[in-house]
Amino acid sequence: MTIFRNHLTDGLRRYRYSAKRAPDREDHDAPTVAADDESPSAYAMAEEEVDRLLTGIQQLPSRSQKVVRLRYLEDRTYAEIAQELQCSTDMARRIWLKAIDQLSQELES
């Protein structure tokens, strides 16, 4: 679970950094700040988001939890996930989509 938490934290940081660096959001007159210069409050907020995400994942049905774990922690393809679950590739993708939708709804509330 610790490895999964670290992957999620790193993913959130990368997502935030890439969103901040989007070309349409650039302010070329503003002073630049190093990417590693995160404030302690930003780090704490990312940790809180990871906790919420982990709680949301734990509330998913076990099959959905497994798909999320295989997809993000083990970086498996849908075909590999389908083989593990003994279902079709389309079914594995649908399970993943439903899990992501449920997580999204959980995090928005």
Side-chain angles (χ1 to χ4, degrees):
M1 192 58 116
T2 303
I3 294 171
F4 194 49
R5 172 186 289 274
N6 291 340
H7 279 277
L8 289 173
T9 303
D10 290 343
L12 284 171
R13 285 186 191 135
R14 280 192 303 272
Y15 173 76
R16 279 207 178 115
Y17 179 69
S18 67
K20 287 179 186 177
R21 299 295 298 173
D24 60 332
R25 296 190 59 177
E26 290 290 316
D27 181 4
H28 297 288
D29 297 328
T32 58
V33 177
D36 295 333
D37 240 3
E38 288 190 11
S39 69
S41 63
Y43 183 76
M45 286 173 39
E47 286 291 319
E48 288 174 9
E49 286 182 39
V50 167
D51 287 340
R52 287 183 59 212
L53 187 56
L54 287 173
T55 300
I57 290 170
Q58 290 172 348
Q59 293 176 359
L60 292 173
S62 62
R63 196 171 192 195
S64 297
Q65 286 181 29
K66 187 171 187 173
V67 169
V68 170
R69 181 179 52 80
L70 291 171
R71 185 76 178 143
Y72 290 108
L73 184 59
E74 298 181 19
D75 202 26
R76 301 262 191 105
T77 65
Y78 292 112
E80 293 169 335
I81 294 169
Q83 187 176 16
E84 177 89 18
L85 296 178
Q86 298 178 350
C87 66
S88 70
T89 304
D90 288 338
M91 178 58 81
R93 186 174 285 123
R94 281 191 295 245
I95 294 169
W96 176 80
L97 284 171
K98 186 175 179 181
I100 296 304
D101 187 45
Q102 288 173 328
L103 282 173
S104 159
Q105 290 175 7
E106 178 70 30
L107 294 176
E108 288 176 2
S109 62

Short mmCIF file of all heavy atoms in Angstrom, two decimals, residues 63-94:
data_model
loop_
_atom_site.label_atom_id
_atom_site.label_comp_id
_atom_site.label_asym_id
_atom_site.label_seq_id
_atom_site.Cartn_x
_atom_site.Cartn_y
_atom_site.Cartn_z
N ARG A 63 -13.11 -6.25 -7.43
CA ARG A 63 -12.67 -6.40 -8.83
C ARG A 63 -12.19 -5.07 -9.39
O ARG A 63 -11.18 -5.01 -10.10
CB ARG A 63 -13.82 -6.97 -9.66
CG ARG A 63 -13.40 -7.53 -10.98
CD ARG A 63 -14.54 -8.26 -11.63
NE ARG A 63 -14.04 -9.02 -12.75
CZ ARG A 63 -14.80 -9.53 -13.68
NH1 ARG A 63 -16.11 -9.41 -13.61
NH2 ARG A 63 -14.28 -10.19 -14.68
N SER A 64 -12.90 -4.00 -9.08
CA SER A 64 -12.50 -2.67 -9.53
C SER A 64 -11.20 -2.24 -8.88
O SER A 64 -10.34 -1.64 -9.53
CB SER A 64 -13.60 -1.65 -9.22
OG SER A 64 -14.78 -1.96 -9.92
N GLN A 65 -11.05 -2.55 -7.59
CA GLN A 65 -9.79 -2.24 -6.91
C GLN A 65 -8.62 -2.93 -7.61
O GLN A 65 -7.56 -2.33 -7.80
CB GLN A 65 -9.84 -2.71 -5.45
CG GLN A 65 -10.69 -1.88 -4.55
CD GLN A 65 -10.67 -2.41 -3.13
OE1 GLN A 65 -9.69 -3.01 -2.69
NE2 GLN A 65 -11.75 -2.19 -2.40
N LYS A 66 -8.84 -4.17 -7.97
CA LYS A 66 -7.79 -4.94 -8.62
C LYS A 66 -7.41 -4.33 -9.97
O LYS A 66 -6.23 -4.22 -10.31
CB LYS A 66 -8.22 -6.40 -8.80
CG LYS A 66 -7.14 -7.30 -9.31
CD LYS A 66 -7.55 -8.75 -9.27
CE LYS A 66 -6.38 -9.64 -9.61
NZ LYS A 66 -6.68 -11.05 -9.42
N VAL A 67 -8.41 -3.90 -10.74
CA VAL A 67 -8.15 -3.28 -12.04
C VAL A 67 -7.35 -1.99 -11.86
O VAL A 67 -6.38 -1.75 -12.58
CB VAL A 67 -9.47 -3.02 -12.80
CG1 VAL A 67 -9.23 -2.16 -14.02
CG2 VAL A 67 -10.10 -4.34 -13.21
N VAL A 68 -7.74 -1.16 -10.90
CA VAL A 68 -7.03 0.09 -10.66
C VAL A 68 -5.59 -0.20 -10.24
O VAL A 68 -4.64 0.43 -10.73
CB VAL A 68 -7.76 0.94 -9.59
CG1 VAL A 68 -6.91 2.11 -9.14
CG2 VAL A 68 -9.09 1.44 -10.14
N ARG A 69 -5.40 -1.18 -9.37
CA ARG A 69 -4.06 -1.54 -8.92
C ARG A 69 -3.20 -2.05 -10.09
O ARG A 69 -2.06 -1.63 -10.28
CB ARG A 69 -4.13 -2.61 -7.83
CG ARG A 69 -2.76 -3.02 -7.30
CD ARG A 69 -2.85 -4.07 -6.21
NE ARG A 69 -3.65 -5.24 -6.56
CZ ARG A 69 -3.22 -6.26 -7.30
NH1 ARG A 69 -1.99 -6.25 -7.78
NH2 ARG A 69 -4.00 -7.29 -7.56
N LEU A 70 -3.78 -2.95 -10.90
CA LEU A 70 -3.03 -3.50 -12.03
C LEU A 70 -2.68 -2.42 -13.05
O LEU A 70 -1.59 -2.40 -13.61
CB LEU A 70 -3.82 -4.62 -12.70
CG LEU A 70 -3.99 -5.90 -11.90
CD1 LEU A 70 -4.98 -6.85 -12.58
CD2 LEU A 70 -2.65 -6.59 -11.69
N ARG A 71 -3.61 -1.53 -13.29
CA ARG A 71 -3.41 -0.49 -14.31
C ARG A 71 -2.38 0.54 -13.86
O ARG A 71 -1.51 0.93 -14.63
CB ARG A 71 -4.76 0.18 -14.62
CG ARG A 71 -4.70 1.17 -15.72
CD ARG A 71 -4.63 0.50 -17.06
NE ARG A 71 -4.63 1.51 -18.10
CZ ARG A 71 -3.94 1.43 -19.20
NH1 ARG A 71 -3.25 0.35 -19.46
NH2 ARG A 71 -3.97 2.38 -20.08
N TYR A 72 -2.49 1.02 -12.63
CA TYR A 72 -1.64 2.12 -12.20
C TYR A 72 -0.40 1.70 -11.43
O TYR A 72 0.66 2.32 -11.59
CB TYR A 72 -2.45 3.12 -11.36
CG TYR A 72 -3.42 3.86 -12.22
CD1 TYR A 72 -4.78 3.61 -12.13
CD2 TYR A 72 -2.98 4.79 -13.16
CE1 TYR A 72 -5.68 4.28 -12.94
CE2 TYR A 72 -3.88 5.44 -13.98
CZ TYR A 72 -5.22 5.19 -13.87
OH TYR A 72 -6.10 5.84 -14.67
N LEU A 73 -0.50 0.69 -10.62
CA LEU A 73 0.65 0.29 -9.83
C LEU A 73 1.57 -0.63 -10.63
O LEU A 73 2.79 -0.48 -10.61
CB LEU A 73 0.20 -0.42 -8.55
CG LEU A 73 1.30 -0.81 -7.57
CD1 LEU A 73 2.09 0.41 -7.13
CD2 LEU A 73 0.70 -1.51 -6.37
N GLU A 74 0.97 -1.56 -11.35
CA GLU A 74 1.77 -2.52 -12.11
C GLU A 74 1.89 -2.15 -13.59
O GLU A 74 2.52 -2.86 -14.35
CB GLU A 74 1.18 -3.92 -11.93
CG GLU A 74 1.21 -4.37 -10.49
CD GLU A 74 0.66 -5.76 -10.29
OE1 GLU A 74 0.57 -6.53 -11.27
OE2 GLU A 74 0.32 -6.08 -9.13
N ASP A 75 1.23 -1.06 -14.00
CA ASP A 75 1.33 -0.53 -15.37
C ASP A 75 0.99 -1.60 -16.41
O ASP A 75 1.66 -1.73 -17.43
CB ASP A 75 2.72 0.05 -15.62
CG ASP A 75 2.73 1.04 -16.76
OD1 ASP A 75 1.68 1.65 -17.02
OD2 ASP A 75 3.79 1.21 -17.38
N ARG A 76 -0.07 -2.35 -16.16
CA ARG A 76 -0.50 -3.42 -17.06
C ARG A 76 -1.40 -2.86 -18.16
O ARG A 76 -2.11 -1.88 -17.98
CB ARG A 76 -1.28 -4.49 -16.30
CG ARG A 76 -0.52 -5.14 -15.18
CD ARG A 76 0.08 -6.47 -15.63
NE ARG A 76 0.58 -7.21 -14.51
CZ ARG A 76 -0.02 -8.27 -13.99
NH1 ARG A 76 -1.13 -8.73 -14.50
NH2 ARG A 76 0.51 -8.88 -12.96
N THR A 77 -1.40 -3.52 -19.30
CA THR A 77 -2.30 -3.17 -20.40
C THR A 77 -3.68 -3.76 -20.11
O THR A 77 -3.82 -4.65 -19.25
CB THR A 77 -1.78 -3.72 -21.74
OG1 THR A 77 -1.82 -5.15 -21.67
CG2 THR A 77 -0.38 -3.22 -22.04
N TYR A 78 -4.68 -3.31 -20.85
CA TYR A 78 -6.02 -3.86 -20.67
C TYR A 78 -6.06 -5.35 -21.04
O TYR A 78 -6.78 -6.12 -20.41
CB TYR A 78 -7.05 -3.08 -21.49
CG TYR A 78 -7.25 -1.68 -20.97
CD1 TYR A 78 -6.84 -0.58 -21.71
CD2 TYR A 78 -7.82 -1.44 -19.73
CE1 TYR A 78 -7.00 0.71 -21.24
CE2 TYR A 78 -7.99 -0.15 -19.25
CZ TYR A 78 -7.57 0.91 -20.01
OH TYR A 78 -7.73 2.18 -19.53
N ALA A 79 -5.28 -5.74 -22.02
CA ALA A 79 -5.23 -7.15 -22.41
C ALA A 79 -4.66 -8.00 -21.27
O ALA A 79 -5.17 -9.09 -20.98
CB ALA A 79 -4.39 -7.33 -23.68
N GLU A 80 -3.63 -7.50 -20.62
CA GLU A 80 -3.05 -8.23 -19.50
C GLU A 80 -4.01 -8.28 -18.31
O GLU A 80 -4.12 -9.30 -17.64
CB GLU A 80 -1.73 -7.57 -19.06
CG GLU A 80 -0.63 -7.70 -20.09
CD GLU A 80 0.58 -6.84 -19.78
OE1 GLU A 80 0.44 -5.81 -19.08
OE2 GLU A 80 1.67 -7.21 -20.24
N ILE A 81 -4.71 -7.18 -18.09
CA ILE A 81 -5.70 -7.14 -17.00
C ILE A 81 -6.82 -8.12 -17.30
O ILE A 81 -7.26 -8.86 -16.42
CB ILE A 81 -6.25 -5.71 -16.81
CG1 ILE A 81 -5.14 -4.78 -16.31
CG2 ILE A 81 -7.43 -5.71 -15.85
CD1 ILE A 81 -5.51 -3.31 -16.33
N ALA A 82 -7.26 -8.15 -18.55
CA ALA A 82 -8.33 -9.07 -18.94
C ALA A 82 -7.91 -10.52 -18.72
O ALA A 82 -8.70 -11.34 -18.24
CB ALA A 82 -8.71 -8.84 -20.40
N GLN A 83 -6.69 -10.82 -19.04
CA GLN A 83 -6.18 -12.18 -18.84
C GLN A 83 -6.17 -12.52 -17.35
O GLN A 83 -6.56 -13.62 -16.96
CB GLN A 83 -4.79 -12.31 -19.44
CG GLN A 83 -4.25 -13.71 -19.42
CD GLN A 83 -2.90 -13.80 -20.12
OE1 GLN A 83 -2.24 -12.80 -20.36
NE2 GLN A 83 -2.51 -15.01 -20.46
N GLU A 84 -5.74 -11.58 -16.53
CA GLU A 84 -5.70 -11.79 -15.08
C GLU A 84 -7.10 -12.00 -14.50
O GLU A 84 -7.30 -12.84 -13.63
CB GLU A 84 -5.03 -10.57 -14.41
CG GLU A 84 -4.99 -10.61 -12.92
CD GLU A 84 -3.75 -11.29 -12.38
OE1 GLU A 84 -2.77 -11.43 -13.13
OE2 GLU A 84 -3.79 -11.66 -11.21
N LEU A 85 -8.07 -11.24 -15.02
CA LEU A 85 -9.45 -11.34 -14.52
C LEU A 85 -10.27 -12.40 -15.23
O LEU A 85 -11.43 -12.62 -14.89
CB LEU A 85 -10.16 -9.98 -14.65
CG LEU A 85 -9.60 -8.82 -13.85
CD1 LEU A 85 -10.38 -7.56 -14.15
CD2 LEU A 85 -9.63 -9.12 -12.36
N GLN A 86 -9.69 -12.99 -16.27
CA GLN A 86 -10.38 -13.99 -17.09
C GLN A 86 -11.67 -13.42 -17.68
O GLN A 86 -12.76 -13.96 -17.53
CB GLN A 86 -10.66 -15.25 -16.27
CG GLN A 86 -9.40 -15.91 -15.77
CD GLN A 86 -9.68 -17.13 -14.92
OE1 GLN A 86 -10.80 -17.40 -14.52
NE2 GLN A 86 -8.62 -17.87 -14.63
N CYS A 87 -11.49 -12.29 -18.36
CA CYS A 87 -12.61 -11.65 -19.05
C CYS A 87 -12.08 -11.05 -20.35
O CYS A 87 -10.89 -11.15 -20.65
CB CYS A 87 -13.26 -10.59 -18.17
SG CYS A 87 -12.21 -9.16 -17.82
N SER A 88 -12.96 -10.42 -21.12
CA SER A 88 -12.53 -9.80 -22.38
C SER A 88 -11.80 -8.48 -22.11
O SER A 88 -11.95 -7.88 -21.03
CB SER A 88 -13.74 -9.54 -23.28
OG SER A 88 -14.53 -8.51 -22.74
N THR A 89 -11.05 -8.04 -23.09
CA THR A 89 -10.35 -6.76 -22.98
C THR A 89 -11.35 -5.62 -22.83
O THR A 89 -11.13 -4.69 -22.04
CB THR A 89 -9.45 -6.53 -24.22
OG1 THR A 89 -8.56 -7.64 -24.34
CG2 THR A 89 -8.66 -5.26 -24.10
N ASP A 90 -12.45 -5.69 -23.57
CA ASP A 90 -13.49 -4.65 -23.46
C ASP A 90 -14.08 -4.61 -22.05
O ASP A 90 -14.33 -3.53 -21.51
CB ASP A 90 -14.60 -4.88 -24.48
CG ASP A 90 -14.16 -4.55 -25.90
OD1 ASP A 90 -13.20 -3.78 -26.06
OD2 ASP A 90 -14.79 -5.07 -26.84
N MET A 91 -14.28 -5.78 -21.46
CA MET A 91 -14.83 -5.83 -20.11
C MET A 91 -13.84 -5.23 -19.11
O MET A 91 -14.24 -4.49 -18.21
CB MET A 91 -15.17 -7.27 -19.72
CG MET A 91 -15.71 -7.39 -18.29
SD MET A 91 -17.19 -6.43 -17.99
CE MET A 91 -18.41 -7.52 -18.68
N ALA A 92 -12.57 -5.51 -19.27
CA ALA A 92 -11.55 -4.95 -18.37
C ALA A 92 -11.56 -3.43 -18.48
O ALA A 92 -11.48 -2.72 -17.46
CB ALA A 92 -10.17 -5.50 -18.72
N ARG A 93 -11.66 -2.92 -19.69
CA ARG A 93 -11.71 -1.47 -19.91
C ARG A 93 -12.96 -0.86 -19.29
O ARG A 93 -12.92 0.20 -18.66
CB ARG A 93 -11.63 -1.15 -21.40
CG ARG A 93 -11.52 0.34 -21.68
CD ARG A 93 -11.29 0.63 -23.14
NE ARG A 93 -9.90 0.32 -23.49
CZ ARG A 93 -9.55 -0.53 -24.44
NH1 ARG A 93 -10.44 -1.14 -25.16
NH2 ARG A 93 -8.27 -0.75 -24.69
N ARG A 94 -14.10 -1.55 -19.42
CA ARG A 94 -15.35 -1.04 -18.82
C ARG A 94 -15.27 -1.01 -17.30
O ARG A 94 -15.76 -0.08 -16.67
CB ARG A 94 -16.54 -1.87 -19.29
CG ARG A 94 -17.00 -1.51 -20.69
CD ARG A 94 -18.32 -2.17 -20.99
NE ARG A 94 -18.13 -3.63 -21.01
CZ ARG A 94 -18.29 -4.38 -22.07
NH1 ARG A 94 -18.65 -3.85 -23.21
NH2 ARG A 94 -18.10 -5.68 -22.02
#
